[in-house]
């Protein structure tokens, strides 16, 4: 999830402070660099993207390493400096470095990307459930649409009651839905190969790099950018380290290594047993487990694994329902970015109107699964739109970091990123290139017209990432501001 799966705090959008002061060091609980590395790993790592990379076999190692170097590392180190100097998450970083409207754009994109994130996550859940009921349903668009709508609205109903019962489910997500299934997948794969069975994908040096089929070969790297998103969320803990300047880089390098292992090894294991031309982007994990379990004559374990994967994914969804929308609410009350209707809370103090409005859009998107012939193609399109919208956040963050280093060089920072400008330029170029390449259909896309794909992705990016936030900024009125309510809500949070 990447971070999009089970972030510990629901996303940096949860941050409520808008002050420009550096975070206070008083009574801050200490973290070891090892603890922070594990926290970061749990926020970022996920099995959901494994089938996407398994299609490329051994080349998935290259496809994961490139975005790790040019995107993951700059994001981690730059966000650490920003978090150690300014409270309030990405909204305050961009507001201080650039402007408040652009700060709103950043936090809006953090929220808006979830509109396409939920359908893609729940499509994965639907395909996993299908392997318990009827594997043929995994490629049925109508079934997928119905599951997405039922699970999303159930999540809204639970979240609207302000229950804390899902906290345990979300916190166990790394173990239940990632570590145990991932380790089991790799062990089964190694035993499978050790018994002399041939790999479904070639595992020799000639296949270390993806086969070049034009610029479309680069598109898979774009999707991996989103797999690594979320490092900026854990950067807020940098001030809790004893020696941030030395311990934070060490923590991030360890986390990066662990995340790469969790991403790469399960993807390879899937490629060993499921041929690329038979692999579903949504059901690939369960396809591999089912193949292994059938081979080892323990098919009864298939529904057990499915339950674990579903539980972890639903826990992550419930966490994300609460986080970004809460952050958007607090900032909008403070500055008047959203109309009063979207700022109202229900009897449980939950931003129900935002969740319901988002649910209406999610329902429309879910229905598209019923009309796009290939479920994997729909999943891919929505994953790309999610990435495109979220990349806006990172573009703004990197520019703001350069500006803050130049305009506020003496502002207290608990950690100063080495070669910050070089890191930011690298991250900027990588993010911009990823956004451009995202408009090129991958070789995995088989949904029809290339121009239809480009127009669909462009429309999603423009409407969600620019038109809607611009409309809110242009239409807002002074009466929409509720700073007292925002302060009270922030204190309660």
């Amino acid at each position: 999830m990447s971070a999009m799966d089970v972030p510990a705090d629901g996303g940096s959008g949860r941050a409520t402070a808008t002050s420009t002061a550096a975070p206070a060091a008083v009574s801050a609980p200490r973290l070891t660099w090892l603890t922070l590395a594990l926290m970061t790993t749990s926020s970022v790592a996920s099995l959901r993207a494994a089938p996407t990379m398994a299609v490329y076999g051994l080349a998935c190692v290259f496809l994961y390493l490139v975005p790790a170097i040019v995107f993951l590392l700059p994001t981690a180190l730059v966000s650490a400096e920003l978090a150690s100097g300014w409270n309030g998450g990405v909204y305050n970083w961009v507001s201080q470095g650039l402007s408040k409207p652009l700060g709103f754009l950043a936090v809006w994109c953090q929220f808006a990307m979830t509109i396409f994130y939920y359908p893609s996550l729940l499509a994965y859940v639907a395909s996993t459930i299908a392997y318990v009921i009827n594997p043929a349903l995994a490629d049925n668009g109508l079934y997928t649409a119905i599951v997405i709508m039922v699970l999303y609205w159930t999540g809204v109903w639970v979240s609207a009651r302000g229950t804390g019962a899902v906290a345990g489910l979300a916190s166990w997500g790394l173990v239940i839905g990632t570590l145990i299934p991932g380790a089991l997948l790799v062990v089964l794969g190694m035993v499978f190969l050790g018994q002399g069975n041939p790999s479904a994908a070639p595992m020799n040096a000639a296949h270390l790099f993806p086969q070049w089929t034009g610029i479309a070969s680069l598109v898979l790297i774009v999707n991996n950018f989103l797999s690594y998103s979320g490092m900026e969320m854990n950067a807020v803990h940098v001030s809790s380290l004893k020696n941030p300047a030395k311990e934070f880089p060490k923590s991030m390098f360890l986390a990066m290594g662990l995340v790469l292992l969790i991403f790469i090894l399960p993807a390879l294991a899937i490629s060993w047993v499921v041929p690329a031309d038979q692999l579903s982007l949504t059901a690939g994990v369960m396809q591999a487990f089912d193949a292994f379990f059938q081979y080892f004559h323990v098919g009864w374990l298939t529904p057990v694994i499915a339950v674990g994967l579903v539980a972890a994914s639903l826990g992550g969804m419930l966490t994300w329902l609460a986080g970004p929308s809460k952050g958007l609410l607090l900032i909008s009350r403070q500055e008047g970015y959203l109309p009063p209707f979207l700022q109202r809370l229900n009897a449980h103090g939950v931003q129900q109107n935002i969740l319901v409005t988002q649910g209406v859009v999610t329902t429309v998107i879910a229905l598209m699964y019923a009309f796009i012939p290939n479920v994997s193609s729909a999943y891919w399109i929505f994953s790309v739109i999610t990435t495109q919208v979220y990349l806006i956040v990172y573009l703004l963050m990197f520019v703001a970091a350069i500006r803050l280093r130049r305009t506020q060089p003496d502002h207290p920072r608990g950690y100063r990123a080495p070669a910050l400008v070089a890191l930011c330029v690298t991250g900027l170029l990588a993010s911009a290139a990823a956004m451009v390449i995202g408009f090129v259909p991958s070789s995995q896309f088989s949904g029809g017209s290339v121009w239809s794909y480009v127009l669909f992705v462009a429309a999603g990016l423009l409407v969600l990432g620019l038109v809607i936030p611009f409309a809110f900024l242009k239409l807002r009125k002074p009466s929409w501001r509720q700073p007292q309510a925002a302060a009270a809500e922030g204190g309660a949070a």
Side-chain angles (χ1 to χ4, degrees):
M1 174 335 5
S2 80
M4 310 211 34
D5 288 346
V6 192
D9 60 357
S12 58
R14 281 189 75 126
T16 59
T18 54
S19 125
T20 61
V26 180
S27 71
R30 288 295 177 193
L31 286 177
T32 66
W33 67 271
L34 180 59
T35 300
L36 183 57
L38 294 177
M39 287 172 59
T40 302
T41 303
S42 68
S43 295
V44 176
S46 168
L47 294 181
R48 192 166 64 91
T52 306
M53 292 297 105
V55 172
Y56 285 79
L58 191 59
C60 75
V61 178
F62 172 81
L63 293 171
Y64 272 122
L65 282 176
V66 171
I69 294 170
V70 301
F71 179 76
L72 174 61
L73 192 59
T75 298
L77 299 182
V78 170
S79 60
E81 172 165 328
L82 294 173
S84 70
W86 291 268
N87 289 329
V90 71
Y91 171 75
N92 203 36
W93 303 344
V94 177
S95 295
Q96 293 293 318
L98 301 174
S99 68
K100 283 189 175 183
L102 289 177
F104 171 69
L105 176 61
V107 80
W108 166 263
C109 287
Q110 265 192 336
F111 164 76
M113 57 80 68
T114 64
I115 294 174
F116 284 95
Y117 167 69
Y118 294 134
S120 61
L121 171 66
L122 294 177
Y124 164 75
V125 171
S127 65
T128 303
I129 295 173
Y131 265 81
V132 180
I133 305 171
N134 177 6
L137 289 173
D139 293 320
N140 186 300
L142 180 60
Y143 159 79
T144 302
I146 292 172
V147 172
I148 290 173
M149 289 186 287
V150 170
L151 291 181
Y152 179 83
W153 285 107
T154 300
V156 170
W157 181 80
V158 172
S159 297
R161 272 145 186 78
T163 178
V166 300
L169 178 62
S171 63
W172 277 94
L174 176 68
V175 176
I176 297 173
T178 301
L179 292 184
I180 293 177
L184 180 59
L185 199 59
V186 173
V187 170
L188 290 173
M190 289 181 172
V191 174
F192 176 79
L193 294 181
Q195 292 184 350
N197 294 290
S199 169
M203 290 288 132
N204 52 51
H207 293 83
L208 279 172
F209 302 98
Q211 184 178 1
W212 180 254
T213 57
I215 195 170
S217 299
L218 301 176
V219 177
L220 264 294
I221 297 178
V222 174
N223 204 45
N224 283 350
F225 277 58
L226 189 62
S227 297
Y228 290 129
S229 64
M231 300 297 281
E232 78 280 4
M233 297 177 188
N234 290 285
V236 299
H237 300 295
V238 67
S239 59
S240 296
L241 295 171
K242 186 176 181 180
N243 187 347
K246 291 184 178 180
E247 293 182 341
F248 188 80
K250 190 160 56 171
S251 174
M252 288 303 102
F253 279 116
L254 176 59
M256 189 166 73
L258 292 174
V259 167
L260 285 172
L261 287 176
I262 292 173
F263 279 151
I264 292 171
L265 294 182
L268 286 175
I270 292 172
S271 73
W272 295 336
V273 71
V274 183
D277 59 354
Q278 300 175 22
L279 188 62
S280 165
L281 299 190
T282 56
V285 175
M286 289 308 302
Q287 280 181 304
F289 272 119
D290 191 51
F292 283 135
F293 289 158
Q294 295 302 326
Y295 174 81
F296 290 108
H297 307 292
V298 287
W300 57 271
L301 279 175
T302 298
V304 175
I305 287 293
V307 169
L309 294 174
V310 167
S313 296
L314 292 180
M317 184 198 77
L318 289 170
T319 303
W320 273 90
L321 274 174
S325 59
K326 183 74 167 183
L328 181 65
L329 169 78
L330 294 173
I331 291 164
S332 296
R333 283 187 158 191
Q334 183 72 36
E335 301 294 338
Y337 291 129
L338 296 181
F341 172 78
L342 293 177
Q343 296 186 31
R344 290 177 195 156
L345 304 179
N346 66 8
H348 300 281
V350 176
Q351 58 281 9
Q352 181 172 295
N353 288 359
I354 291 181
L355 295 178
V356 170
T357 303
Q358 183 181 20
V360 172
V361 180
T362 299
T363 299
V364 173
I365 295 171
L367 289 172
M368 293 180 187
Y369 275 90
F371 297 106
I372 296 178
N374 188 313
V375 171
S376 287
S377 294
Y379 175 86
W380 179 258
I381 291 173
F382 295 139
S383 295
V384 170
I385 293 175
T386 301
T387 304
Q388 297 285 68
V389 173
Y390 209 31
L391 283 171
I392 294 175
V393 177
Y394 290 108
L395 289 171
L396 292 171
M397 185 187 82
F398 287 127
V399 175
I402 294 175
R403 286 269 301 156
L404 285 170
R405 179 68 77 90
R406 291 178 177 174
T407 59
Q408 301 184 37
D410 299 323
H411 185 91
R413 295 164 171 83
Y415 170 78
R416 296 181 75 90
L420 178 121
V421 173
L423 287 172
C424 289
V425 170
T426 300
L428 268 172
L429 292 176
S431 299
M435 185 170 283
V436 172
I437 294 171
F439 287 100
V440 181
S442 162
S443 56
Q444 295 180 5
F445 175 72
S446 57
S449 167
V450 171
W451 283 110
S452 297
Y453 172 92
V454 172
L455 289 174
F456 199 96
V457 172
L461 174 62
L462 288 174
V463 173
L464 269 182
L466 295 174
V467 174
I468 294 178
F470 179 77
F472 280 134
L473 289 171
K474 291 294 291 183
L475 297 174
R476 66 173 176 156
K477 302 174 182 177
S479 59
W480 291 5
R481 295 182 70 249
Q482 302 181 48
Q484 295 83 3
E489 191 67 22

